[in-house]
Amino acid sequence: MEKRTSYPAVDLMKYAGSIMVIMIHCEPLIPQSEINFFIKNIICRIAVPFFFVSSAFFLRKGMQTRPEYLKKYLMRLLKSYILWSILFLPMGIDWIYQNQPVPIELFPAALLVGFVHIGTYYHLWYISAFILSVVFIVNLLKRFSYQIVFGLSLVLYLFGSLETYYGLLPSGWFKDFFDLVIRLTFTTRNGLFFGMIFTLIGFFIYDNRKKLSRIEKHSTSFLWFFGSLFVLEGLWLFHIRRLDMNFIWMLVPLSFFLFLWLLSRKLKQRPYLKKLRERSHYYYFIHPICIVLVEETGKAFKLSLLSYGMVSFLIILFLTHGFATVLINIRNRPPKLLKPALLLKTLFTGIGITLILAGALYQFKVSSTVIKFEFVPCTWITASFFSLFFFMKERMIHPAVRN
């Protein structure tokens, strides 16, 4: 496996993976439960482990070239996580209120647990999990061999997977113990039980590139073999009682050979691949906002095409793509355009649009379904960023306005 600076197949998979994550979080895509399960809970479940492996691989690459890379990378990731956590805080508070009622005096503690463990909103768990898994793996590899760390990570993954295989647990002290763990942690989908094994795989692949080149030519066969076992396992799980379906045993070998196979693909680097990789990053952060806007509008007005199904998903994907494009354009604008007056104008414009749209939704909705409170902050965030984009674009077109 030769050293390269770009991996086009990995970039394509990142984009595909971001779409898979959106599919998982949307309402049912297909009316038939078996087909919907196959798409969302089998095929799309390869996305998150892939992101762990990929992120860990490129992190390890940076660590080997620059000693200070790890610290700078984690600090940059933590800053990004904090910013997005603050942005999603209103939705997170409402989620806690709706799903885990706690006394008002315990809200700060609940938010702290959410920030460290499961995110201030449901999709942000991945960032905290990756940071924690990296910290665990880096420190463990300083003291133990890959074999020992792999063994520990696999044991933790198997314990965490009881969340998926819950229906197989016999009554007794062990089931009671696992129930206690779930009551305390809400989920085992975190950096300790879920993230460590996939982060370790990414590190291992980078550190053993030359040795792994011997099996690189067989990666396609291994991918088909473990991919088939993965599908069979997923179909078997359809009939088992589950708390969730993040853990699937065959995801471990499948993720290893999938990433190895992607690294071996010698595709030509194209400019659009960089754009897809960039957009996949923003897709991850903003897609829950678009899901709320589209699906809640559909529920309010009894529009089934918006509230669930493939049409709803495609509209969500289109809105997510547009939102990501707006954010990328804002980021690439000169920072000097972000003056206090412009930000204040954006703030009041966003509030005004939100009052109109959210007010109309709650006033004229024909459904008796309760609309999620998240619709209001999601509308405000979307309206604010789109307004900022147009205001900054106007200043770029008419420079005199800046004076």
Side-chain angles (χ1 to χ4, degrees):
M1 190 185 301
E2 73 278 11
K3 292 184 179 180
R4 285 183 284 158
T5 57
S6 62
Y7 300 90
V10 174
D11 291 339
L12 280 173
M13 184 60 202
K14 284 182 178 179
Y15 186 72
S18 67
I19 295 176
M20 291 179 186
V21 171
I22 298 175
M23 285 183 169
I24 291 173
H25 293 153
C26 286
E27 290 292 330
L29 303 173
I30 305 293
Q32 294 78 14
S33 60
E34 294 85 356
I35 299 176
N36 187 71
F37 180 87
F38 179 78
I39 295 173
K40 294 180 63 172
N41 284 317
I42 299 179
I43 301 301
C44 291
R45 289 296 176 181
I46 67 175
V48 174
F50 162 77
F51 284 125
F52 271 100
V53 175
S54 175
S55 299
F57 176 87
F58 291 108
L59 170 59
R60 191 64 165 177
K61 181 180 179 182
M63 290 170 60
Q64 299 300 323
T65 55
R66 285 173 285 168
E68 76 284 0
Y69 184 82
L70 175 62
K71 182 178 180 180
K72 290 184 177 180
Y73 177 90
L74 291 180
M75 287 303 299
R76 185 171 66 250
L77 188 59
L78 182 60
K79 289 179 182 178
S80 176
Y81 179 54
I82 291 172
L83 287 174
W84 285 105
S85 296
I86 293 173
L87 188 66
F88 279 95
L89 193 58
M91 287 83 87
I93 291 174
D94 182 65
W95 187 91
I96 292 175
Y97 177 76
Q98 296 291 338
N99 296 276
Q100 299 290 338
V102 295
I104 189 67
E105 62 271 13
L106 294 180
F107 249 74
L111 290 174
L112 179 61
V113 171
F115 177 79
V116 175
H117 178 47
I118 56 176
T120 56
Y121 205 50
Y122 64 84
H123 67 306
L124 294 176
W125 75 271
Y126 167 79
I127 304 298
S128 61
F130 182 65
I131 292 173
L132 290 174
S133 67
V134 167
V135 172
F136 291 145
I137 294 301
V138 168
N139 284 280
L140 285 171
L141 288 177
K142 289 178 180 178
R143 297 168 175 81
F144 306 103
S145 66
Y146 264 110
Q147 291 88 338
I148 294 176
V149 182
F150 260 117
L152 174 62
S153 300
L154 188 58
V155 168
L156 291 170
Y157 184 81
L158 290 175
F159 179 80
S161 71
L162 296 176
E163 183 178 277
T164 299
Y165 299 88
Y166 186 78
L168 300 179
L169 282 176
S171 299
W173 69 269
F174 187 76
K175 183 176 183 295
D176 294 339
F177 172 71
F178 186 75
D179 288 339
L180 176 62
V181 171
I182 292 297
R183 282 198 297 271
L184 293 175
T185 64
F186 309 114
T187 177
T188 53
R189 184 198 60 183
N190 53 40
L192 179 64
F193 297 112
F194 186 88
M196 277 182 59
I197 188 68
F198 298 111
T199 299
L200 186 62
I201 287 173
F203 276 38
F204 180 81
I205 291 176
Y206 184 81
D207 287 344
N208 295 272
R209 298 183 307 285
K210 291 183 179 180
K211 294 179 181 179
L212 293 174
S213 62
R214 300 173 187 173
I215 63 172
E216 183 180 290
K217 59 183 178 180
H218 303 296
S219 60
T220 301
S221 299
F222 282 114
L223 184 60
W224 276 106
F225 176 72
F226 286 109
S228 300
L229 292 179
F230 168 71
V231 171
L232 290 174
E233 183 184 3
L235 294 175
W236 174 60
L237 285 168
F238 180 73
H239 304 284
I240 292 176
R241 183 190 173 195
R242 307 173 306 277
L243 300 182
D244 210 328
M245 197 165 167
N246 300 294
F247 297 78
I248 303 176
W249 292 335
M250 282 298 113
L251 270 175
V252 176
L254 177 62
S255 299
F256 177 86
F257 287 105
L258 172 62
F259 196 74
L260 207 60
W261 179 79
L262 290 169
L263 293 179
S264 69
R265 300 302 93 186
K266 295 178 174 60
L267 304 181
K268 188 174 181 181
Q269 182 67 38
R270 304 283 186 180
Y272 74 88
L273 291 175
K274 182 179 179 181
K275 293 181 179 180
L276 289 182
R277 183 177 69 237
E278 187 178 32
R279 275 169 173 75
S280 69
H281 172 79
Y282 285 101
Y283 278 19
Y284 163 74
F285 282 110
I286 63 178
H287 75 270
I289 294 175
C290 303
I291 289 175
V292 169
L293 292 178
V294 174
E295 291 183 351
E296 294 305 305
T297 299
K299 293 174 184 177
F301 296 104
K302 291 187 177 180
L303 300 173
S304 59
L305 287 178
L306 293 182
S307 54
Y308 62 88
M310 285 302 299
V311 173
S312 173
F313 162 72
L314 292 174
I315 294 174
I316 290 168
L317 181 59
F318 177 78
L319 181 58
T320 303
H321 182 83
F323 202 162
T325 302
V326 165
L327 291 175
I328 292 170
N329 274 274
I330 291 174
R331 190 196 65 184
N332 293 335
R333 298 292 185 186
K336 62 182 179 180
L337 291 181
L338 293 173
K339 294 183 178 181
L342 179 63
L343 295 177
L344 193 61
K345 180 181 178 181
T346 300
L347 172 65
F348 284 108
T349 301
I351 292 174
I353 294 174
T354 301
L355 289 174
I356 294 172
L357 295 181
L361 181 95
Y362 285 98
Q363 179 69 30
F364 300 109
K365 72 184 183 77
V366 296
S367 170
S368 59
T369 303
V370 177
I371 306 304
K372 293 180 179 178
F373 169 78
E374 290 103 304
F375 184 86
V376 175
C378 285
T379 303
W380 174 72
I381 292 171
T382 306
S384 297
F385 276 109
F386 273 82
S387 298
L388 180 60
F389 167 72
F390 286 114
F391 292 152
M392 294 180 75
K393 186 176 181 180
E394 181 184 20
R395 284 175 174 250
M396 291 292 292
I397 296 174
H398 305 289
V401 176
R402 287 178 278 169
N403 299 325

